Amino acid sequence: MVDSLSTDKTAEVARAQGATVVEHAFEHYGAQRNWAIEHLPCTRAWQLHLDADEWMDAELVAAIQALPDEPAESGYFLPRYVRFLGRLLRHGGMNPTWHMRLFRAGVGRCETRKYDQHFYLRSGTTGQLRGAMIDDIRMPLSEWTARHNRWSDGEVAEMDAQAVEGRVRPDARGNPVERKRFLRQRYNQMPLFIRPFGLFVYRFVFRLGFLDGTEGFIFWVLQTFWFRFLVDAKIWENQRLARDAEG
């Protein structure tokens, strides 16, 4: 386990459960994950990457254990569900999302994006496993929104940089993450401030997010409207500052 010099009891709890804890100062998620890939003395042929607030259900554990000794694939996408304010969200078109977290040692890397990072393979093909990886969000809303405020800065920086190296490339016919990036690319082509409204209506109404109750309502408003509106507001602010500097 890699701990980013946390001040809570994460490392203590992990050691008590028999885990080996290595500490490394946090830069951003992609850099932390790639540091772990490059520096930890892993001896197994496969690597499974989970965050501290993620866990797998019995079906997914069994699916991993049932893999043959030499599977044809070099990596596997796991279905991730969000548990928010104590409720497992089932609707909105995001549950599940697919994340490649299991791959052969030496072929997997993490994007160097500052927000919404995904793993990718440098070689080989991928498959999908059944079950559920639960992203169990237990932090209070004050912390959750504070983090998303910081992540909105990272998203704006990514959009301004338009970097392609070390990133998953959009592909409408590709794997789940490539298709997601294609849709995000289309979203980014829509007008500022209009697109957050459209995304919220799409997820909450057309993809039945309203069926996730009050917890879902809070999540969809904050995640698909407020966060994306904040990103657009910061883009607009940067554009105005640039115009003022030119004038």
Side-chain angles (χ1 to χ4, degrees):
M1 170 186 166
V2 178
D3 179 72
S4 55
L5 307 178
S6 61
T7 57
D8 57 13
K9 295 185 178 181
T10 298
E12 179 182 334
V13 171
R15 291 189 179 98
Q17 296 297 317
T20 299
V21 179
V22 177
E23 294 187 336
H24 182 257
F26 186 83
E27 180 183 352
H28 58 77
Y29 288 102
Q32 192 79 333
R33 287 163 174 162
N34 286 330
W35 185 90
I37 291 173
E38 295 166 0
H39 293 89
L40 294 187
C42 299
T43 59
R44 302 292 184 179
W46 288 79
Q47 295 182 5
L48 173 66
H49 289 252
L50 295 175
D51 291 342
D53 58 354
E54 294 174 337
W55 53 274
M56 301 183 297
D57 70 358
E59 183 180 9
L60 180 54
V61 172
I64 294 175
Q65 292 175 336
L67 289 174
D69 292 338
E70 289 297 330
E73 314 294 357
S74 295
Y76 288 92
F77 284 91
L78 311 184
R80 189 183 77 165
Y81 290 82
V82 173
R83 185 179 176 89
F84 186 74
L85 297 178
R87 180 173 185 142
L88 185 64
L89 305 182
R90 294 285 188 179
H91 305 92
M94 286 179 56
N95 296 288
T97 54
W98 292 88
H99 293 248
M100 194 186 63
R101 298 294 189 84
L102 178 67
F103 47 81
R104 294 181 187 272
V107 301
R109 294 285 294 176
C110 185
E111 293 181 287
T112 54
R113 288 176 56 91
K114 296 181 179 180
Y115 174 71
D116 192 28
Q117 309 86 355
H118 284 265
F119 288 95
Y120 63 92
L121 296 183
R122 292 185 287 188
S123 63
T125 57
T126 61
Q128 296 180 355
L129 297 179
R130 298 177 62 88
M133 175 178 66
I134 310 298
D135 183 6
D136 198 352
I137 302 172
R138 298 187 180 185
M139 69 186 74
L141 287 175
S142 294
E143 181 180 353
W144 190 88
T145 52
R147 290 191 181 194
H148 277 71
N149 181 40
R150 296 196 301 270
W151 292 338
S152 68
D153 292 333
E155 180 74 346
V156 172
E158 285 292 331
M159 296 173 70
D160 286 344
Q162 296 183 343
V164 296
E165 184 177 356
R167 271 75 166 173
V168 175
R169 295 189 177 184
D171 186 348
R173 298 183 179 181
N175 64 45
V177 175
E178 292 169 340
R179 294 196 299 270
K180 175 186 174 182
R181 287 291 158 77
F182 172 80
L183 293 174
R184 179 58 53 79
Q185 186 180 65
R186 297 291 297 272
Y187 172 88
N188 290 341
Q189 294 170 353
M190 297 173 63
L192 292 179
F193 302 123
I194 293 176
R195 53 194 185 186
F197 285 96
L199 182 61
F200 172 74
V201 170
Y202 170 74
R203 296 209 178 279
F204 189 70
V205 178
F206 292 101
R207 297 307 300 269
L208 306 181
F210 63 88
L211 293 179
D212 286 318
T214 301
E215 297 88 351
F217 177 65
I218 294 172
F219 179 82
W220 299 119
V221 168
L222 292 179
Q223 180 68 34
T224 63
F225 176 70
W226 171 79
F227 175 70
R228 287 293 157 189
F229 190 92
L230 183 60
V231 169
D232 282 4
K234 291 183 177 182
I235 293 173
W236 178 87
E237 180 184 42
N238 289 345
Q239 292 174 346
R240 186 182 69 172
L241 292 173
R243 289 195 300 268
D244 292 344
E246 292 176 354

